[in-house]
Amino acid sequence: MKRPASLALFLGLVTTVACGGEAPAPVAPQPPPPPPVASAPPVAPAFVPPLPYPDARREDTVDDMHGVKVPNPYHWLEDGKSDEVGKWVDAENSLARDYLAKLPERDAFAARMKELFYVERVLVPIRRGNRLFYRRREAGKEKFLVYWREGASGQEKLLLDPTQWSTDGSAALGRWEPSYDGKRVAYTVKENNADEATLYVVDVATNKKSAVDVIPGTGFSGISWTPAGDGFYYERLPPVSTPPDPNRTAHKDVRFHKLGTDPAKDAIVHAETGDPTKQIGASLSRDGRWLVVEIDRGWTSNDVYVQDLRAKNPTWQTLVEGKDALYSVSVDRGRFFVQTNEGAPNYRVFRVDPAHMDRAAWQEIVPERKDATLQGFGIVGHRLALDYLKDVTSHPELHDEDGKLVRELPLPALGSIGGVSGDPDSDVVYYSFETFTFPTVIYEESVATGKRSTWYQLKVPIDPTKYAVDQLFATSKDGTRVPFFLVHAKDMPHDGSTPTYLEGYGGFQIANTPFFATSLYPWLEHGGAWVMANLRGGSEYGEEWHRHGMLHEKQHVFDDFFAVAEELAKQGVARADKLAIYGGSNGGLLMGAAITQRPELFAAVLCEAPLLDMARYPQVGIGKVWIPEYGSPDDPGDLTALLAYSPYHHVTKGTKYPPLLMLTPDSDDRVDPMHARKFVAEMQWASTGGPVLMRVEKHSGHGGADLVKANVEKIADEYAFALAQLRGH
C-alpha cells in the first residue's frame, strides 16, 4: 500500500502573457505600443513556522516491506544513542520548555496543583500474618514510602524509602510483595523509572536488605511466595544486550529462588516460550501445592498449565490449551476456580476438580450475564469476590464457592472499586472506592458478616459539590453506541464555549472506569470541562468490545473518538475551537490518528509516550509483544491495515494541523521514544498550523516520573498549553 501523496506548498507560478493588438495605421512610422501584460496571480508567501524549530534533515529513506515501498524520511532519529539525535532532542526540549514557561496561567496551574498534590495519600494495604503493609506519601513529600505495623494499632515503622536510593530521585519502587508470614518483603527497584528492574529482599523486623538475594531482569516479573516464606517463584529475562534484542521477551522463563542461595543457580521450572509475542507468568496456590503457569497469546487467549508440587514426580498438566479465549485461575481448598470468556464474551466462572481437569468435567457456577461484564475476580475468605461493570461503573458482589450470591456490596455512588486485597484464608478484605467527584476511600470489611469500616479517606482542599458528572452516549460511524463521562461545573453554559479536555485510550482490554484525580480540578476551576471516552478496544462491554477495536478493526477506536468529539459539539459543550485532546501510550496512537485524520475537529493535541510508526513498531522496545493486538508488518494483510492509519505515514505537507504538544520520557524502555521523535520532525516539516513542541521528561519511564514535583510541572505545562490554544493566545 502506498502512502498518500504529500501536498506541496503552492508557491505560485508567474506567467507573463503577451497579447498583440491591432497594427497602427501607417500614417507615419511610430514605435509599436508595449504589449499588454495580463495580471499575474500573486505569489503565495512561503509558510513561516511559528517557532524556530531545530534542523532535522529529511532523507529519501524508503523501507521495502515485501514489495511495499514505505517512506521513512527520519530513519536516523530512531537511534536514541546517537550524539546527533541527542543534540536534536535537547534542542527540541529547550524550545518546548521556553515556550511553555511563558504561557498565561502556567504558574497559576502549577501553584494550584502543588496545593492539591502535596497532601497525604495512602494506598490499599496488604495484611500478611499479623502485620499490615501499606504505601503512604506524607503531605509535602515527593514519593510514596512503604510502612508496616504489627496488628491493627501497632506503631508505624518505615520499611522501604525510595528517596534514599538515588541522589536525584530517579530510582523508583516497582513491584513489592510481603511473604505470607509477614517476615520478609521482595521488591524491585527501577532506575530512571524504567521498566527494567532488579529484585531485592528485605527482612521486616531488622530492616536489613539481603546481599545475596539480588536478581536482575525482573522488571516484568510477578512474585509468588511459598507458604513457609523460604522462597518464591518469579519470571526472569536475560540480560540487556547491545544493541537491544527485540526478541528478548521470548526468552523469559519461570524460576524458583530459595532465600540465601545464588540467584544465578535458580532452577528453571518452566522454560521460555521462544516467541516474543507470548508472555509467561506463574503463581503458587496459598497452600503451596499447585503451581499455575499461564502463557498469554496477546490479549485474547492463553494456555494454562498446572503442576502438583506434592506429587512424587511433579509434571506439567494441561488445564486448557489452544482455545481462542482467556482463562484466569485461582485456587482454594484444593479446587480451581476459572474465570473465562470462552463462549461468554462477558465472562463466567467454572469450578474444576484437579482430579478431573478435562474440559467436559468443568462445572459452571457463575453464568455469564448479558447486562454486565465480569471485570474482576478473586477469592477472599473462601468467597468469590466479583466486580461487575454495568455501563462502565462497578457493581461488586460476593458469592460462595458454589456460585450462589451472598450479598451485593453497596457503594456510595456510581464509581469504581479497586486494589482489592485479601487472602483466601482471611476474613478481612480491603478495597478502594472512588469516582470523579468522590475522593478515594479505602474500606476494611469482614467477608463473613459484611461489617464495613473506613480505613482511610483522602482529604484534599477541593469542593466537589460544585461539579456534576454526566454519562452520555455518542453514535459512532458504524452505528455503535459509545459512552463517555463529562465532568463540568453545574452552571456550565451550553453554547459550545467551554474549554474542554477530552481523553481516550481504546485498547488492550483496559476499561476506563470513573476515578478521582486531583489533577482534574485545576482545569475545572479554570472554567473547563473534562471528558473521558470509553472506546472500543477496551473491556467496558466485554470481549466483543475489545475485539472490535483491535487488529484490522482498529479504525473503530478512532471513529468512536471522533463521534464523542462531534457529540460534545451537538450537546453545546465544546465547539472544535474549544476542544483539546490527550492520550498516552496506545492513547498516544489515538492522538496521532486524530490529528492526521480529523485535524479540523480539535484545537490542541497532547500526545504522550506514543506508538506512531506502525510499520516499524515491532523492531524497537518490546514492540513484538503487541503484535497480537495490532498485527504484524511482516504479514501483507496486517501491513495494509497498519499503513491505513499509521500516523507517521499520514502526515501531509501543507496541512493546517492543530497545535501539538508531544510529551516523551527519556528512559522509556516499553514504547521507544523514536516514535515521538520521528513524528515531531515530520509534523514540524509539514504543518502550516500552530506550534509543534516536544517536551522531554528526564529520568522518566513509560509510566512517567514518580516525583510529585515532576508531575506538577508536567501537568501545569499540559494545561497551560491546551488552554492557551483554546483561548487563542
Side-chain angles (χ1 to χ4, degrees), residues 70-366:
V70 182
N72 188 9
Y74 294 101
H75 178 270
W76 65 277
L77 282 172
E78 293 181 10
D79 184 3
K81 302 296 184 182
S82 159
D83 288 341
E84 181 184 17
V85 172
K87 291 177 181 177
W88 181 84
V89 168
D90 288 343
E92 288 283 354
N93 187 42
S94 295
L95 177 68
R97 298 278 183 159
D98 289 346
Y99 178 93
L100 296 167
K102 299 171 185 175
L103 289 174
E105 307 297 335
R106 195 265 174 208
D107 291 343
F109 276 127
R112 179 59 172 143
M113 277 184 284
K114 287 178 182 178
E115 296 174 350
L116 300 180
F117 284 21
Y118 282 107
V119 297
E120 182 196 55
R121 295 189 68 103
V122 181
L123 304 184
V124 175
I126 301 172
R127 183 175 294 279
R128 292 289 185 263
N130 193 42
R131 290 173 173 171
L132 198 66
F133 299 84
Y134 51 93
R135 295 181 69 189
R136 180 168 67 85
R137 190 181 67 215
E138 296 181 32
K141 300 298 184 181
E142 293 293 336
K143 288 178 178 268
F144 281 96
L145 313 184
V146 177
Y147 296 89
W148 69 281
R149 65 176 183 236
E150 202 81 45
S153 57
Q155 181 182 358
E156 179 181 83
K157 298 179 181 180
L158 175 63
L159 182 65
L160 300 175
D161 184 357
T163 64
Q164 301 302 307
W165 297 346
S166 59
T167 57
D168 57 5
S170 59
L173 174 65
R175 299 189 181 208
W176 61 286
E177 185 69 34
S179 59
Y180 287 111
D181 58 13
K183 293 182 178 180
R184 295 177 179 86
V185 170
Y187 64 98
T188 61
V189 176
K190 307 187 299 180
E191 298 297 331
N192 289 324
N193 292 281
D195 289 329
E196 193 64 34
T198 299
L199 185 149
Y200 300 91
V201 176
V202 62
D203 182 275
V204 174
T206 64
N207 207 5
K208 183 179 180 181
K209 183 174 69 175
S210 169
V212 177
D213 307 295
V214 179
I215 311 176
T218 48
F220 292 95
S221 177
I223 303 166
S224 193
W225 284 95
T226 62
D230 59 352
F232 50 83
Y233 292 88
Y234 68 101
E235 300 88 50
R236 188 170 184 174
L237 284 164
V240 177
S241 61
T242 302
D245 180 6
N247 294 308
R248 183 177 177 230
T249 55
H251 307 301
K252 184 168 72 170
D253 52 37
V254 177
R255 304 188 183 201
F256 176 73
H257 177 68
K258 186 172 180 61
L259 294 183
T261 65
D262 182 1
K265 299 178 181 179
D266 286 351
I268 298 175
V269 297
H270 198 290
E272 62 191 42
T273 66
D275 183 344
T277 69
K278 295 180 179 179
Q279 290 293 290
I280 189 170
S283 61
L284 183 66
S285 62
R286 175 66 181 87
D287 61 7
R289 177 174 181 177
W290 294 99
L291 182 61
V292 180
V293 163
E294 297 183 9
I295 297 179
D296 299 329
R297 301 188 301 275
W299 284 259
T300 59
S301 60
N302 65 337
D303 302 325
V304 182
Y305 307 94
V306 298
Q307 189 175 111
D308 184 355
L309 300 181
R310 294 181 186 172
K312 186 175 181 180
N313 296 302
T315 58
W316 288 108
Q317 303 174 65
T318 300
L319 181 64
V320 63
E321 184 179 60
K323 299 284 188 179
D324 186 22
L326 288 167
Y327 304 83
S328 177
V329 179
S330 296
V331 184
D332 188 35
R333 295 190 289 195
R335 297 176 294 182
F336 302 158
F337 295 86
V338 183
Q339 177 191 1
T340 179
N341 59 15
E342 177 197 324
N346 288 348
Y347 292 87
R348 52 183 170 165
V349 179
F350 288 88
R351 188 174 60 205
V352 181
D353 181 350
H356 305 282
M357 289 192 292
D358 54 296
R359 179 64 184 83
W362 293 16
Q363 180 184 1
E364 182 184 72
I365 59 173
V366 180

Side-chain angles (χ1 to χ4, degrees), residues 22 51 73 173 236 312 387 491 559 720:
E22 184 179 344
L51 293 169
L173 174 65
R236 188 170 184 174
K312 186 175 181 180
D387 180 20
D491 59 353
D559 291 340

